[in-house]
């Protein structure tokens, strides 16, 4: 299987890219959320990139109703409160595959970049990770530190900031 120059160039862009190739992907390849279909000795394998690792989608544990995910309420800090209404309360969970999920809408923090909450041990990344998020209808950078602190470091808003859709691997 060969790739055109354009296909090789697209494989180095940040974001959710889908590629194809031969052999197990190298940890240096791709970005978070990328997918790659690879021809390996056992046949075709679909991999997804999270953090610095590629995961074989075929071998991930599939949750069933019996394995329902348990959501936990976040303990908010620095005057941040639940936006309430029809929106999800700020909460977190870890699925059966070791991915942490965040959801909810927050408002009224003491400052846009103030720590919103701190994730407990077992739900923290091994190193700081940054996500794109939405705050008051604009883009912001949501930071989750290795000590569990979560804040909207750049472009956040005390009017409201969403943490919904944030997913990262902790094992």
């Amino acid at each position: 299987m060969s790739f055109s120059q354009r296909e090789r160039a697209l494989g180095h862009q940040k974001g959710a890219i889908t590629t194809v190739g031969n052999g197990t992907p190298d940890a240096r390849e791709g970005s978070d959320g990328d997918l790659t279909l690879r021809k390996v000795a056992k046949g075709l394998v679909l991999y997804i990139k999270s953090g610095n690792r590629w995961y074989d989608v075929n071998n991930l544990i599939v949750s069933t109703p019996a394995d329902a995910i348990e959501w936990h309420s976040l303990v908010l800090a620095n005057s941040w409160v639940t936006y309430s209404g029809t929106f999800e309360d700020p909460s977190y969970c870890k699925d059966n595959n070791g991915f942490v999920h965040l959801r909810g809408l927050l408002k009224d923090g003491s400052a846009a970049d103030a720590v919103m909450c701190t994730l407990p041990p077992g739900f923290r990344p091994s190193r700081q990770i940054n996500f794109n998020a939405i705050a008051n209808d604009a883009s912001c950078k949501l930071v989750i530190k290795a000590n569990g602190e979560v804040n909207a470091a750049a472009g956040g808003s005390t009017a409201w900031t969403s943490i919904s859709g944030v997913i990262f691997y902790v094992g």
Side-chain angles (χ1 to χ4, degrees):
M1 185 177 291
S2 65
F3 298 102
S4 69
Q5 185 176 7
R6 176 159 169 68
E7 288 171 320
R8 283 192 301 275
L10 286 174
H12 297 288
Q13 290 183 352
K14 181 99 172 128
I17 302 290
T18 303
T19 60
V20 294
N22 292 317
T24 304
D26 185 88
R28 295 170 295 190
E29 295 178 55
S31 301
D32 272 68
D34 286 357
L35 296 169
T36 185
L37 182 64
R38 296 296 177 104
K39 183 177 180 184
V40 294
K42 63 181 180 179
L44 292 176
V45 177
L46 180 64
Y47 294 93
I48 186 168
K49 179 86 179 255
S50 179
N52 292 327
R53 292 186 57 193
W54 286 96
Y55 295 91
D56 178 347
V57 173
N58 304 321
N59 290 324
L60 291 177
I61 300 167
V62 177
S63 295
T64 64
D67 299 325
I69 293 174
E70 183 180 351
W71 288 91
H72 307 279
S73 294
L74 284 165
V75 177
L76 303 179
N78 295 313
S79 302
W80 286 98
V81 297
T82 300
Y83 193 88
S84 69
T86 59
F87 302 100
E88 295 282 353
D89 288 342
S91 50
Y92 64 98
C93 73
K94 185 172 13 174
D95 67 24
N96 293 332
N97 295 310
F99 287 89
V100 171
H101 303 254
L102 302 181
R103 69 180 183 189
L105 201 62
L106 300 87
K107 68 176 182 172
D108 296 340
S110 59
D113 63 350
V115 172
M116 300 170 159
C117 60
T118 302
L119 293 168
F123 294 86
R124 299 173 177 175
S126 58
R127 293 188 302 230
Q128 177 176 310
I129 48 179
N130 302 328
F131 294 92
N132 288 322
I134 303 295
N136 202 23
D137 291 327
S139 180
C140 75
K141 178 173 81 171
L142 189 73
V143 175
I144 303 176
K145 297 180 180 178
N147 66 3
E149 292 181 348
V150 179
N151 75 338
S157 170
T158 59
W160 62 266
T161 299
S162 175
I163 60 170
S164 292
V166 171
I167 302 171
F168 59 93
Y169 184 76
V170 296

